[in-house]
Amino acid sequence: MFRRAGEIEELIWVANLAVFPFDRCLMGTKLTGLFVTNPLILPQNCVAFAVVNPLSGPDHEVAGWFHAHLTRTFVSVLRAFTDFGAGEWIGVVLFFVVLYFVWKRWWPSLITLIVAVPGGMLLNELVKVLVHRHRPFVDGPFVDWSGYSFASGHTIGATLLYGQLLLFVLPTLKARHWRIVAVSCAALLISLVGFSRIALGAHFLTDVLAAIAFGILWLAFCLFAGKPMRRSLVLTPGIPLVSEPALVRVEETGPPAQVS
């Protein structure tokens, strides 16, 4: 099993890109100081590529330090933090927000929410399979992990959920101090989730940083990609911009009739 005690230094990631099926590639991998793909697997629609990690040293130092200082109480606190990025929690929040958007008939916001959050999380799962980076520790006295490490699913889920909700709420906040509070709350939740994933040994530091970066980029993409959908809608003055401000379609009207 790879990296049970965290003593093997990771120098290069080699990701297996398999068209069909992925597990064929995974069965042939070996570790000899770097990940080496078995050449017998390559003809089976599998391509190997290497990504140098310049933060390999800090990655393992941070992971090793937290692993050595984990206690049962510390793990309990960290698990409470990590739940804010858990799939179950995100699913519950999305369920109620989707119901609210459907009730209000705020269709553009509903589409944006679905594409941004579940869509981004699904893309991250694809990245995990392609990169095939193992976790810092697959087992320990308090935790037991499975799956792949890059990028952190909990962290990107928190980034997408709280980031998208922040984009919905910010236009309604006119006072500067409330905007600062909203941004700070979203950043704090994302930071707590990311910190908990590193401290629990579920992810490397770079896994968490990459997840935050990917999440922000995906939210920006969804924001700009949704502009054409919003161009056919106009904002009715005097109604707050919460999630979906009273949007009405602009229809062409003929010239006013002349009264003789």
Side-chain angles (χ1 to χ4, degrees), residues 45-156:
N45 297 323
C46 182
V47 181
F49 71 91
V51 181
V52 177
N53 178 14
L55 297 178
S56 175
D59 261 352
H60 292 283
E61 290 175 6
V62 171
W65 188 91
F66 278 112
H67 189 71
H69 291 83
L70 280 181
T71 63
R72 193 170 301 278
T73 303
F74 190 26
V75 168
S76 299
V77 174
L78 292 173
R79 285 190 180 279
F81 291 159
T82 203
D83 283 344
F84 286 106
E88 295 82 359
W89 168 253
I90 293 176
V92 170
V93 174
L94 285 178
F95 176 76
F96 286 106
V97 175
V98 166
L99 284 182
Y100 183 71
F101 284 178
V102 171
W103 178 53
K104 291 290 187 178
R105 298 181 182 274
W106 291 344
W107 309 122
S109 287
L110 177 62
I111 295 173
T112 300
L113 181 69
I114 293 175
V115 173
V117 184
M121 293 175 70
L122 286 175
L123 283 178
N124 185 65
E125 291 303 313
L126 177 61
V127 171
K128 281 191 173 189
V129 174
L130 295 181
V131 176
H132 184 211
R133 188 188 195 189
H134 292 269
R135 296 184 184 273
F137 303 97
V138 295
D139 59 8
F142 308 111
V143 294
D144 184 15
W145 306 114
S146 61
Y148 299 124
S149 184
F150 187 90
S152 171
H154 280 66
T155 307
I156 197 171

Side-chain angles (χ1 to χ4, degrees), residues 168-206:
F168 284 147
V169 171
L170 271 182
T172 70
L173 304 176
K174 304 305 180 183
R176 184 172 179 270
H177 66 277
W178 287 118
R179 288 173 171 261
I180 294 175
V181 169
V183 173
S184 300
C185 289
L188 178 62
L189 286 171
I190 296 168
S191 300
L192 287 176
V193 172
F195 171 77
S196 68
R197 303 307 287 168
I198 297 172
L200 285 170
H203 292 284
F204 291 104
L205 173 64
T206 48

